[in-house]
Amino acid sequence: QTINECPKETCSQLTCSAGYLRTGKCGDDQTRSNNDYDCKPCAAGTLRLANSVNECEPCPAGRYQNATGQASCHACKAGSYCLAGASAPLPCRAGTHSSATNLKSPEECTLSAPGFYAPTASLAQIPCPAGTYSGLVLTEHTASHSSPLPPTSLLPSPVPSPSPSRS
């Protein structure tokens, strides 16, 4: 066998390294000498373990992979969540926060309490400074910052209780 000659392994025994997928087909004589065989890296957001089935699998929810050709996925970072197959963490929305890692959905980010706010990708809620407020808005979104208190002239004045009527 010369240096330029391909080994006479059977095509079914040819494998790719972890993180890579075997593509193409074996040659007519089932040897590597005349096939169209190649190893391609798994896409970002996927992985392939060594000796696993010949397909790239999505990273599980709570984990991500930003590079190609990988055999593992990273833990999702605090202040973010990772859906299945994520190639990057997604930030917790403004008005939510989390110091936990491996969050799997935006619903796992914690809503900030009234009197606190949280910018996008916050690890913790922040108390509103004196003279400001933040509260839940009547939509799916919450305050991402504190607002100044309105002037007292704009606050509704108390309505007197009705007097009991005498008959």
Side-chain angles (χ1 to χ4, degrees):
Q1 180 173 354
T2 64
I3 293 177
N4 293 333
E5 201 174 302
C6 290
K8 298 293 182 190
E9 305 173 283
T10 61
C11 190
S12 62
Q13 294 174 339
L14 298 174
T15 59
C16 294
S17 301
Y20 287 78
L21 179 65
R22 187 177 120 182
T23 61
K25 59 183 176 73
C26 292
D28 293 336
D29 65 358
Q30 296 296 302
T31 66
R32 189 173 174 186
S33 61
N34 67 346
N35 64 26
D36 195 14
Y37 159 76
D38 197 11
C39 290
K40 301 279 185 192
C42 290
T46 66
L47 70 125
R48 182 177 170 273
L49 302 174
N51 301 320
S52 68
V53 294
N54 194 40
E55 65 182 50
C56 300
E57 299 176 22
C59 290
R63 302 184 71 77
Y64 76 100
Q65 181 49 259
N66 57 341
T68 61
Q70 301 301 306
S72 64
C73 298
H74 306 291
C76 202
K77 298 176 181 183
S80 63
Y81 62 94
C82 296
L83 302 173
S87 58
L90 298 169
C92 287
R93 292 183 296 230
T96 66
H97 62 279
S98 181
S99 60
T101 59
N102 299 330
L103 297 186
K104 299 174 183 175
S105 72
E107 292 77 25
E108 290 185 326
C109 298
T110 305
L111 285 173
S112 295
F116 291 83
Y117 71 102
T120 301
S122 291
L123 304 183
Q125 61 185 1
I126 303 165
C128 291
T132 65
Y133 72 99
S134 175
L136 298 178
V137 178
L138 298 177
T139 68
E140 67 181 53
H141 303 290
T142 59
S144 60
H145 63 281
S146 295
S147 303
L149 284 171
T152 54
S153 61
L154 298 178
L155 294 175
S157 48
V159 178
S161 299
S163 302
S165 60
R166 296 186 184 181
S167 315

